[in-house]
């Protein structure tokens, strides 16, 4: 029992003793002054008898005080001892560690398995024929183990560099340089008369999702794609790199998935339980979400060697390398490559870990907090800095429970498997629990990796913006103890909070498939050793977070947002902010389509209805909250619940069961990924897709499709207004 509760208990006992054997009315049978004093004492008596335990704010302050950078460091060391790709024994060891920590914290936890299609490399080779007279260059394709590497003993466990789900096969062709492999880059090549069809594309990785680069190359007719990390995007042509500096070594390779869907490719839209319906790999390839051509990632040094054999036209200025780089040409050739990739796509068991802290008043309302634990290599940044933060949050919650805290709503801690293959574990669980989540999920908080560098960054659905800001004002900036996290964040990030339409992490299934309000947050953005064998504990200790103060802050902001969502009587959602974001996004579209034969009136009218509904529900909340004691006593819990349900369910109304055209799994009509870059968030993605169709066809009649999508989005926003109002027509 804490000091506050103990003092209240002693005071209550004193008053009970004073009242023993006396009627409360007897206190009033005195002279007027005495009666007034007695009345005050009587009121105080009843107040003390009903004294509350420590307030939410007291417990939240306790949560912040329980931080420990030693704990986070210990977790990260244990989690990153070996490379642990999904489906491997090493990853099962990591899962067992997480389960043990959660169980030791007395938080009921369980393993939820799924049987999914995973991808591993069996063989790959790459040879370069510079010209008819030069000798053949055979690339080793293996990153170098650096001198003094503390993980050299397990380096052999790192998988050979590859692209998960790349098509098996052999390809030969002259090399064409395609800049970053974007749609506009291939359009530029066409405009310049550079032949891509029948050749091999070389593109630098960095601006769009690697799966979209390979897809774009395939559409252009390429027989294979090679992705490399250009020195320009890795600090320039540096003389020092890891372990002396933070930069990726010249032999470093960034691996990853080229699958463009979400979840198990063989069970699109339903859960991959052991005995279930599945589609074939050939059907998945035919659908366009898995590539039909082979591809490989290579190092910057190998990329430079290939670039040096490309002649033809000089590449545009924006396509050139950094300072000190040779002139880049477009090709094709005369350099020719021979590329072979043989992969193994096989059904493997993965393990999600689910831990539940049951709510006291509303156990059927869920606040979900998640991170994935599988990694392409050691994963010190991605993802296990986030895993360490999640485990610290769990241990702080356990200590709070010992002090008497119980959340109002249920908190579910989720540790996802197979995210790196492209959101497999989280998507399968969401598909498996779709209807339960649609009716009960309050919000999902994601922390893929927690720390890569200084600087806090957040993305969210807009009703959570204000909550994020308020929580950040309560957390100390890990790099400047004289200010709050919010103070440093507000001066360094613009826009302050980004939107969650992209498909880059485990929030995707919650936001884009079900319509659950969500947040994604981290310290640092891009980091040079991403998805390479150099993402290890030493890199984190030297460059990512030497004192582990950022890990502490990451756990603090993640846990505090969860606590506010779980503990506050009224859900801290702000839909006025959401209405503003809708208006802003509409204005951008209007400016883009100025003079085109479309009307945004339906969209504008629906957003105005939504704005009024947001203002109305805010007024209703304030009326229910009340400021005086009497109104708090008279508060109807059913009305509180009903208002909270409206706040919770409004995001669902932005989804459409038919989903985006050609991408039916993505059902959110307000925020979704770009059709040409899974990582990029787009507002009104279905309208964006329709506009792209018009530009491709150059047909005036196609604008009817754009207008149809404007109407469809407007209807969704109108439905959201009705949910927020809580009234039938």
């Amino acid at each position: 029992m804490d000091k506050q509760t103990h003092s209240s208990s002693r005071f209550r006992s004193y008053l009970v003793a004073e009242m023993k054997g006396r009627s409360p009315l007897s206190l009033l049978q005195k002279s007027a002054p005495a009666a007034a004093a007695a009345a005050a004492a009587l009121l105080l008596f009843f107040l003390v008898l009903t004294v509350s335990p420590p307030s939410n704010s007291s417990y939240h302050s306790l949560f912040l005080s329980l931080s420990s950078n030693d704990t986070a460091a210990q977790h990260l060391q244990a989690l990153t001892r070996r490379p642990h790709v999904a489906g491997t024994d090493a990853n099962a060891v990591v899962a067992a560690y997480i389960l043990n920590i959660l169980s030791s914290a007395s938080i009921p936890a369980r393993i939820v398995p799924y049987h999914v299609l995973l991808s591993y490399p069996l063989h790959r080779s790459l040879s370069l024929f510079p010209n008819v007279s030069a000798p053949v260059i055979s690339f080793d394709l293996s990153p170098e183990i650096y001198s003094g590497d503390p993980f050299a003993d397990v380096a052999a466990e790192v998988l050979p560099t590859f692209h998960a789900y790349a098509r098996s096969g052999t390809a030969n062709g002259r090399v064409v340089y395609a800049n970053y492999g974007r749609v506009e880059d291939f359009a530029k090549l066409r405009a310049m008369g550079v032949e891509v069809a029948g050749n091999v594309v070389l593109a630098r990785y960095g601006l769009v999702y690697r799966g979209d680069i390979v897809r774009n190359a395939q559409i252009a007719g390429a027989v294979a794609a090679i992705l490399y990390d250009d020195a320009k995007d890795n600090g320039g042509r540096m003389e020092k790199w890891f372990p002396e500096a933070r930069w990726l070594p010249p032999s470093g390779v960034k691996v990853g998935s080229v699958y463009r869907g979400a979840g198990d490719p063989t069970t699109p839209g339903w859960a991959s339980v052991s005995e279930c319906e599945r589609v074939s790999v050939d059907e998945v390839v035919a659908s366009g979400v898995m590539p039909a051509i082979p591809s490989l990632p290579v190092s910057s040094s190998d990329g430079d060697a290939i670039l040096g054999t490309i002649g033809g036209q000089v590449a545009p200025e924006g396509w050139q390398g950094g300072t000190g780089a040779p002139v880049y040409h477009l090709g094709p050739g005369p350099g020719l490559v021979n590329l072979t990739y043989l992969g193994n796509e096989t059904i493997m068991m993965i393990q999600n870990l689910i831990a539940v802290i049951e709510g006291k008043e509303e156990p059927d309302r869920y606040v979900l907090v998640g991170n994935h634990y599988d990694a392409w290599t050691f994963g010190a940044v991605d993802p296990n800095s986030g895993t360490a933060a999640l485990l610290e949050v769990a241990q702080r919650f356990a200590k709070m429970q010992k002090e008497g805290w119980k959340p109002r709503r249920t908190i579910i801690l989720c540790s996802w498997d197979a995210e790196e293959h492209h959101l497999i574990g989280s998507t399968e669980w969401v598909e498996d629990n779709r209807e339960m989540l649609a009716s009960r999920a309050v919000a999902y908080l994601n922390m893929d990796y927690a720390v890569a560098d200084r600087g806090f960054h957040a993305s969210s659905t807009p009703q959570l913006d204000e909550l994020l800001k308020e929580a950040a004002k309560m957390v100390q900036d890990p790099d400047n103890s004289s200010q709050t996290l919010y103070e440093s964040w507000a001066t360094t990030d613009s826009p302050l909070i980004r939107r969650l339409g992209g498909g880059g992490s485990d929030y995707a299934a919650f936001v884009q498939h079900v319509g659950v309000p969500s947040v994604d947050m981290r310290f640092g953005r891009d980091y040079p050793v991403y998805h390479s064998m150099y993402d290890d504990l030493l890199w984190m200790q030297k460059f990512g977070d030497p004192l582990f103060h950022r890990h502490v802050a990451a756990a603090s902001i993640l846990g505090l947002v969860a606590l506010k969502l779980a503990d506050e009587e009224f859900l801290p959602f702000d839909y006025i902010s959401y209405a503003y974001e809708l208006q802003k996004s509409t204005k951008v579209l209007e400016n883009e389509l100025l003079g085109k034969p479309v009307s945004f009136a339906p969209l504008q009218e629906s957003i105005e209805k939504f704005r009024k509904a947001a203002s109305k529900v805010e007024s209703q909340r304030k009326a229910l909250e009340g400021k005086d004691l009497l109104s708090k006593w008279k508060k109807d819990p059913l009305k509180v619940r009903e208002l909270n349900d409206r706040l919770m369910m409004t995001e669902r109304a932005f989804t459409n069961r038919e989903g985006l055209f050609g991408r039916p799994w993505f059902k959110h009509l307000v925020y979704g990924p770009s059709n040409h870059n899974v990582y990029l968030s787009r507002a009104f993605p279905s309208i964006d897709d329709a506009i792209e169709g018009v530009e491709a066809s150059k047909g005036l009649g196609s604008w009817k499709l754009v207008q149809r999508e404007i109407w469809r989005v407007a209807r969704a926003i109108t439905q959201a207004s009705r949910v927020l109002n809580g009234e039938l027509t």
Side-chain angles (χ1 to χ4, degrees):
M1 182 182 295
D2 62 32
K3 186 176 180 180
Q4 176 183 344
T5 305
H6 184 59
S7 300
S8 300
S9 178
R10 286 190 300 173
F11 188 37
R12 186 188 298 115
S13 300
Y14 166 76
L15 284 179
V16 170
E18 287 295 303
M19 286 288 296
K20 189 172 289 185
R22 301 171 64 183
S23 162
L25 288 177
S26 68
L27 289 178
L28 300 179
Q29 295 169 351
K30 299 185 176 187
S31 63
L42 182 63
L43 177 59
L44 182 60
F45 169 72
F46 284 116
L47 284 175
V48 172
L49 285 181
T50 58
V51 68
S52 298
S55 64
N56 288 337
S57 60
S58 298
Y59 280 125
H60 297 176
S61 296
L62 174 62
F63 172 81
L64 294 175
S65 74
L66 294 171
S67 61
S68 169
N69 52 341
D70 290 338
T71 304
Q74 290 165 7
H75 287 318
L76 193 63
Q77 184 173 16
L79 293 163
T80 61
R81 182 66 190 90
R82 296 166 62 192
H84 49 284
V85 176
T88 64
D89 291 342
N91 206 43
V93 171
V94 172
Y97 175 83
I98 296 168
L99 187 64
N100 180 61
I101 295 298
L102 293 170
S103 300
S104 299
S106 300
I107 300 176
R110 64 183 184 274
I111 293 174
V112 182
Y114 294 98
H115 294 79
V116 303
L117 186 78
L118 297 182
S119 176
Y120 306 96
L122 291 178
H123 171 74
R124 75 266 193 279
S125 66
L126 182 65
S127 299
L128 173 65
F129 301 81
N131 55 57
V132 292
S133 60
V136 177
I137 300 171
S138 294
F139 295 107
D140 183 67
L141 302 177
S142 298
E144 296 177 0
I145 298 174
Y146 57 87
S147 177
D149 184 352
F151 303 103
D153 60 325
V154 290
E157 297 180 26
V158 175
L159 289 182
T161 54
F162 79 118
H163 282 152
Y165 304 108
R167 191 68 162 173
S168 293
T170 295
N172 297 279
R174 294 177 298 167
V175 185
V176 173
Y177 171 56
N179 196 25
Y180 289 102
R182 301 167 295 180
V183 169
E184 56 265 40
D185 293 328
F186 284 99
K188 183 70 172 178
L189 288 173
R190 283 195 304 273
M192 296 180 70
V194 178
E195 184 180 3
V196 175
N199 292 312
V200 175
V201 160
L202 176 70
R204 46 189 179 186
Y205 177 67
L207 294 187
V208 299
Y209 175 58
R210 70 188 73 78
D212 288 309
I213 299 174
V214 177
R215 172 71 171 168
N216 294 338
Q218 176 186 321
I219 291 171
V223 295
I226 300 170
L227 276 57
Y228 78 104
D229 202 64
D230 197 289
K232 178 181 179 179
D233 304 312
N234 188 39
R237 296 181 179 272
M238 310 295 292
E239 295 182 0
K240 292 185 178 181
W241 46 80
F242 184 67
E244 282 74 32
R246 67 194 307 268
W247 305 108
L248 184 72
S251 70
V253 181
K254 295 179 179 178
V255 302
S257 177
V258 290
Y259 169 50
R260 297 172 62 249
D264 182 355
T266 68
T267 61
W270 62 92
S272 294
V273 293
S274 56
E275 299 296 330
C276 68
E277 177 191 6
R278 294 183 187 273
V279 300
S280 69
V281 170
D282 286 341
E283 289 175 289
V284 179
V285 172
S287 73
V289 296
M290 274 173 59
I293 61 173
S295 66
L296 280 176
V298 300
S299 67
S300 62
S301 60
D302 291 349
D304 284 347
I306 298 171
L307 275 167
T309 69
I310 301 176
Q313 300 179 63
V314 173
E317 183 179 354
W319 294 35
Q320 295 295 329
T323 303
V327 176
Y328 292 2
H329 292 76
L330 299 176
L336 184 145
V337 297
N338 178 285
L339 180 155
T340 296
Y341 174 73
L342 180 61
N344 176 27
E345 280 72 55
T346 183
I347 300 295
M348 300 288 289
M349 187 182 77
I350 62 170
Q351 302 179 100
N352 291 332
L353 305 171
I354 305 296
V356 180
I357 303 174
E358 189 169 350
K360 184 178 181 182
E361 286 90 355
E362 298 182 76
D364 59 342
R365 293 292 178 261
Y366 307 150
V367 175
L368 300 111
V369 187
N371 154 269
H372 74 95
Y373 66 89
D374 67 295
W376 283 125
T377 62
F378 296 96
V381 175
D382 183 9
N384 296 132
S385 61
T387 314
L390 182 67
L391 292 177
E392 187 185 330
V393 168
Q395 290 176 311
R396 292 197 215 177
F397 284 170
K399 292 174 182 177
M400 289 169 61
Q401 285 181 297
K402 291 179 180 178
E403 296 298 322
W405 168 77
K406 289 184 179 179
R408 178 187 180 93
R409 303 177 185 91
T410 295
I411 296 176
I412 302 177
L413 304 176
C414 312
S415 191
W416 308 117
D417 198 357
E419 188 271 357
E420 295 294 9
H421 278 79
H422 208 55
L423 320 182
I424 308 288
S426 59
T427 299
E428 297 312 307
W429 191 79
V430 169
E431 290 174 346
D432 206 13
N433 297 279
R434 183 188 296 111
E435 301 310 317
M436 286 282 283
L437 293 170
S439 62
R440 298 185 176 192
V442 170
Y444 173 69
L445 312 180
N446 190 64
M447 187 167 275
D448 187 312
Y449 60 79
V451 180
D453 200 351
R454 64 173 60 239
F456 180 68
H457 306 285
S459 301
S460 74
T461 47
Q463 73 275 68
L464 297 174
D465 288 1
E466 293 305 314
L467 171 60
L468 276 172
K469 294 174 188 176
E470 291 306 309
K473 291 174 183 177
M474 298 175 64
V475 176
Q476 186 182 78
D477 179 2
D479 294 297
N480 186 344
S481 59
S482 67
Q483 62 184 12
T484 66
L485 184 59
Y486 177 78
E487 288 171 318
S488 62
W489 177 29
T491 58
T492 57
D493 230 1
S494 181
L496 187 64
I497 301 174
R498 303 187 182 204
R499 302 280 71 101
L500 270 188
S505 192
D506 291 306
Y507 54 78
F510 290 92
V511 179
Q512 295 147 18
H513 195 62
V514 178
V516 176
S518 298
V519 169
D520 183 58
M521 44 191 155
R522 64 186 60 173
F523 281 85
R525 273 208 183 97
D526 300 331
Y527 66 104
V529 297
Y530 166 80
H531 281 197
S532 76
M533 70 173 285
Y534 307 107
D535 183 2
D536 62 19
L537 184 65
L538 181 63
W539 191 92
M540 178 63 74
Q541 291 171 331
K542 293 187 73 170
F543 307 110
D545 192 13
L547 299 177
F548 282 82
H549 289 167
R550 294 169 194 156
H551 280 76
V552 168
S556 294
I557 186 73
L558 179 65
L560 187 58
V561 172
L563 286 172
K564 287 180 174 292
L565 286 164
D567 286 342
E568 291 189 9
E569 183 178 26
F570 291 92
L571 290 178
F573 288 179
D574 177 14
Y575 280 101
I576 295 175
S577 174
Y578 213 129
Y580 169 74
E581 287 294 317
L582 293 173
Q583 290 171 332
K584 189 168 68 172
S585 297
T586 301
K587 190 64 177 175
V588 170
L589 265 183
E590 284 184 290
N591 291 336
E592 182 183 336
L593 299 184
L594 205 60
K596 303 299 183 183
V598 294
S599 170
F600 283 92
L603 195 54
Q604 292 164 338
E605 291 171 10
S606 67
I607 294 172
E608 179 59 20
K609 291 176 184 176
F610 186 79
R611 186 193 64 78
K612 290 178 179 178
S615 296
K616 179 180 177 181
V617 80
E618 186 62 24
S619 298
Q620 291 171 336
R621 187 210 317 252
K622 289 178 180 177
L624 274 175
E625 280 178 331
K627 298 301 180 186
D628 58 87
L629 189 61
L630 187 61
S631 64
K632 290 181 184 291
W633 279 356
K634 288 185 175 180
K635 193 183 299 177
D636 185 343
L638 291 179
K639 288 185 178 180
V640 173
R641 169 82 167 195
E642 188 272 340
L643 186 141
N644 279 336
D645 282 353
R646 284 188 272 146
L647 294 170
M648 179 183 75
M649 296 301 292
T650 295
E651 189 73 38
R652 315 282 198 272
F654 293 127
T655 63
N656 179 281
R657 68 181 63 185
E658 296 173 1
L660 305 183
F661 180 73
R663 298 185 286 166
W665 186 87
F666 295 97
K667 301 188 181 301
H668 207 289
L669 297 188
V670 174
Y671 295 113
S674 163
N675 201 21
H676 298 294
N677 181 9
V678 169
Y679 289 155
L680 180 64
S681 174
R682 301 293 300 195
F684 309 133
S686 65
I687 300 176
D688 194 58
D689 289 351
I691 293 169
E692 180 193 314
V694 172
E695 293 172 344
S697 67
K698 297 181 171 58
L700 186 62
S702 299
W703 286 107
K704 292 180 180 178
L705 298 177
V706 177
Q707 190 66 63
R708 187 177 300 165
E709 288 303 322
I710 291 173
W711 275 108
R712 194 157 73 113
V713 174
R715 286 192 291 271
I717 295 173
T718 298
Q719 287 297 321
S721 301
R722 291 194 181 127
V723 173
L724 203 51
N725 276 321
E727 297 173 355
L728 296 170
T729 56

